[in-house]
C-alpha cells in the first residue's frame, strides 16, 4: 500500500517572502471681627478720673486683643456706663449621635441587602442566579447611599465610611459576575471569589461590630477557579469515521485546544489536544472539511467550551481527504496542522464569533 500526501507534503520547501509566520499545515500547520472702639468714659470728678485710669490699664490685659489691622477689640459700655462682658460668644455644641439611633440606621440599610445576598446564595446557575445578582446589586447601591447620609457617632465615622465604600464596590462586582449567555463564561461564584469587595466588606463590618454596631452580612458562597482538562487525543465528538485519511494536530500554544472538522453544517469529529502536545485522528472519511479550533483554560465538558481565556478560530483553507485505489494499493491523505504560527507555514486563520463555533 502506498501513501498519498497532500499538496502540503513533508518534502515541500517554501520561499522566504518576508510575510509573517503562518499557522503550519502539512508539517508545520485617578475675625477679624471688627469691634467698636472702646468708648472713653466721661470723667465727672477727680475720683472717677482715677477709676478710669485703672480701667484703661486693665483693659489691654483682660478684654482687648489686637486685630490684624491694628484696631483693638474691647467691651462696650452698658446703659449705666459699666463694661458688659466679652465681645465673643461660644458656638453651640453639635449634638452627639445616639448609638441606638445609628444601630437602627444600620439595620434599616443592611437588612434588605442581607436578604438579597441570601437569595444569591440559594439561586441555581443560569437565569435564576443572574436575576438574584442584579437584585442584590441594586440593594447594595441603596444601602451605600443610605449610609453616606446617615448621622454617625464619632467612634463609628471611619468604619461607616469604609462600609459605604465597600457596598458600592460590591454592587459593581455583583453585576460583573453575571454569567454571559454565550460560551467562555466562568461561573459567577468563581468571579465573586476573585473580587476584592467581599473581603473589604468583611473588614468594615468587623470593625463596626467590635464597637457595638452590628454590621454583619451573609455573603454568598464562592468557588475557586477550576482547571478541568481532558486527556490528550480524547474525542470530544465522534461522528461516523470509516475512511483511511489521517489528521495530526500539533498544539504549540500555551493553552489546551479542541480541533473540530465539519462538512457543511455537520460536525464530523472534535479532538482535544493539550498544550505542547500533538494528537492524531485516523479513519477520516474522504471529503472536504472546514477546520475550526478553540483554545483556552478549564474545559467545561457539558457546555463543550473552555470557560476562560477563550479564542475561536478557523483555517481559511479547507482540508481535503481523498482515498484512491491505484495499482498495487491505495493512496490516502495525511494532513498535519500546527495551531501555533511557524516559520514556513502556509495556512492562514480567521477569528470566528463564539456563537458560530460548531458544538
Amino acid at each position: 500500500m502506498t501513501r498519498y500526501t497532500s499538496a502540503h507534503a513533508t518534502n515541500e520547501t517554501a520561499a522566504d517572502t518576508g510575510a509573517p509566520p503562518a499557522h503550519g499545515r502539512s508539517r508545520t500547520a485617578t475675625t477679624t471681627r471688627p469691634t467698636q472702639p472702646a468708648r472713653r468714659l466721661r470723667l465727672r470728678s477727680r475720683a472717677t478720673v482715677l477709676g478710669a485710669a485703672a480701667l484703661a490699664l486693665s483693659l489691654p490685659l483682660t478684654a482687648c486683643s489686637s486685630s490684624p489691622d491694628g484696631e483693638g477689640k474691647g467691651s462696650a459700655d452698658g446703659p449705666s456706663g459699666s463694661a458688659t462682658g466679652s465681645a465673643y460668644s461660644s458656638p453651640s455644641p453639635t449634638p452627639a449621635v445616639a448609638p441606638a439611633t445609628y444601630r437602627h440606621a444600620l439595620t434599616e440599610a443592611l437588612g434588605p441587602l442581607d436578604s438579597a445576598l441570601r437569595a444569591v446564595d440559594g439561586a441555581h446557575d443560569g437565569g435564576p442566579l443572574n436575576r438574584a445578582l442584579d437584585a442584590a446589586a441594586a440593594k447594595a447601591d441603596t444601602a451605600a447611599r443610605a449610609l453616606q447620609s446617615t448621622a454617625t457617632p464619632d467612634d463609628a465615622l471611619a468604619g461607616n465610611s469604609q462600609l459605604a465604600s465597600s457596598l458600592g464596590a460590591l454592587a459593581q462586582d455583583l453585576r460583573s459576575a453575571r454569567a454571559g449567555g454565550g460560551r467562555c463564561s466562568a461561573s459567577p461564584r468563581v468571579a465573586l471569589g476573585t473580587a476584592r469587595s467581599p473581603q473589604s466588606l468583611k473588614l468594615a463590618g468587623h470593625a463596626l461590630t467590635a464597637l457595638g454596631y452590628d454590621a454583619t452580612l451573609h455573603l454568598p458562597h464562592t468557588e475557586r477557579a477550576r482547571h478541568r482538562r481532558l486527556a490528550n487525543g480524547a474525542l470530544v465528538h465522534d461522528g461516523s469515521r470509516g475512511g483511511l485519511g489521517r489528521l495530526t494536530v500539533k498544539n504549540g500554544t500555551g493553552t489546551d485546544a479542541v480541533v473540530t472538522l465539519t462538512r457543511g453544517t455537520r460536525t464530523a469529529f472534535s479532538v482535544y489536544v493539550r498544550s505542547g502536545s500533538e494528537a492524531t485522528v485516523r479513519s477520516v472519511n474522504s471529503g472536504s472539511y472546514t477546520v475550526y479550533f478553540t483554545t483556552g483554560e478549564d474545559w467545561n465538558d457539558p457546555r463543550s467550551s473552555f470557560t476562560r481565556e477563550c479564542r475561536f478560530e478557523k483555517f481559511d483553507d479547507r482540508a481535503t481527504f481523498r482515498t484512491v485505489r491505484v495499482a498495487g494499493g491505495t493512496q490516502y491523505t495525511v494532513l498535519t496542522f500546527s495551531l501555533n504560527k511557524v516559520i514556513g507555514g502556509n495556512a492562514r486563520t480567521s477569528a470566528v464569533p463564539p456563537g458560530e463555533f460548531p458544538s
Side-chain angles (χ1 to χ4, degrees):
M1 178 179 66
T2 61
R3 184 178 74 176
Y4 170 79
T5 303
S6 72
H8 311 282
T10 311
N11 57 3
E12 286 189 354
T13 60
D16 185 2
T17 63
H23 294 268
R25 180 178 178 182
S26 311
R27 295 185 57 199
T28 52
T30 90
T31 33
T32 59
R33 180 191 301 177
T35 58
Q36 297 181 355
R39 291 175 291 175
R40 288 183 175 276
L41 298 176
R42 308 185 71 167
L43 307 181
R44 298 181 181 275
S45 64
R46 184 178 180 85
T48 57
V49 170
L50 295 177
L55 179 60
L57 290 174
S58 63
L59 283 176
L61 299 177
T62 59
C64 292
S65 61
S66 240
S67 64
D69 60 2
E71 291 185 358
K73 297 178 182 178
S75 60
D77 290 341
S80 61
S82 62
T84 57
S86 171
Y88 298 102
S89 60
S90 301
S92 300
T94 302
V97 178
T101 302
Y102 179 62
R103 292 190 189 99
H104 178 73
L106 276 177
T107 301
E108 291 290 314
L110 301 182
L113 172 59
D114 190 71
S115 298
L117 292 174
R118 291 178 184 273
V120 170
D121 208 23
H124 294 291
D125 289 346
L129 181 54
N130 284 345
R131 289 189 291 272
L133 288 168
D134 286 339
K139 297 296 184 184
D141 274 334
T142 300
R145 289 193 298 268
L147 292 181
Q148 287 171 352
S149 60
T150 294
T152 308
D154 291 344
D155 61 345
L157 286 174
N160 184 79
S161 177
Q162 183 183 356
L163 181 61
S165 176
S166 299
L167 288 171
L170 178 67
Q172 296 180 3
D173 288 337
L174 289 169
R175 293 190 179 96
S176 299
R178 295 177 84 262
R183 298 185 172 208
C184 196
S185 57
S187 166
R189 304 190 191 282
V190 173
L192 284 177
T194 60
R196 292 185 175 183
S197 61
Q199 183 61 27
S200 177
L201 199 61
K202 286 181 181 178
L203 293 175
H206 290 163
L208 286 172
T209 302
L211 295 173
Y213 309 109
D214 186 12
T216 55
L217 285 168
H218 178 87
L219 295 173
H221 75 274
T222 60
E223 298 174 358
R224 292 186 177 182
R226 304 176 68 179
H227 302 277
R228 292 166 289 184
R229 307 172 76 188
L230 298 182
N232 186 63
L235 288 169
V236 178
H237 177 88
D238 191 13
S240 175
R241 289 183 299 117
L244 296 177
R246 186 187 307 167
L247 172 69
T248 296
V249 178
K250 296 181 178 181
N251 182 9
T253 70
T255 54
D256 291 358
V258 171
V259 177
T260 300
L261 270 64
T262 65
R263 295 181 66 181
T265 59
R266 299 183 61 181
T267 298
F269 61 86
S270 299
V271 59
Y272 193 98
V273 188
R274 288 193 172 193
S275 172
S277 302
E278 65 177 66
T280 298
V281 179
R282 303 176 185 274
S283 303
V284 180
N285 293 331
S286 297
S288 181
Y289 299 83
T290 301
V291 182
Y292 295 86
F293 65 98
T294 177
T295 58
E297 296 181 6
D298 183 40
W299 179 254
N300 186 343
D301 205 32
R303 299 186 64 176
S304 296
S305 179
F306 294 102
T307 66
R308 299 188 303 277
E309 307 297 329
C310 304
R311 295 180 61 188
F312 302 91
E313 300 179 69
K314 71 174 181 178
F315 284 92
D316 295 340
D317 295 332
R318 297 173 69 85
T320 301
F321 292 85
R322 293 187 178 93
T323 299
V324 181
R325 291 189 179 277
V326 296
T330 304
Q331 290 181 339
Y332 57 88
T333 305
V334 175
L335 292 180
T336 297
F337 284 89
S338 295
L339 303 184
N340 53 296
K341 296 184 182 299
V342 294
I343 297 175
N346 57 358
R348 302 292 175 183
T349 64
S350 300
V352 176
E356 298 179 13
F357 194 87
S359 300

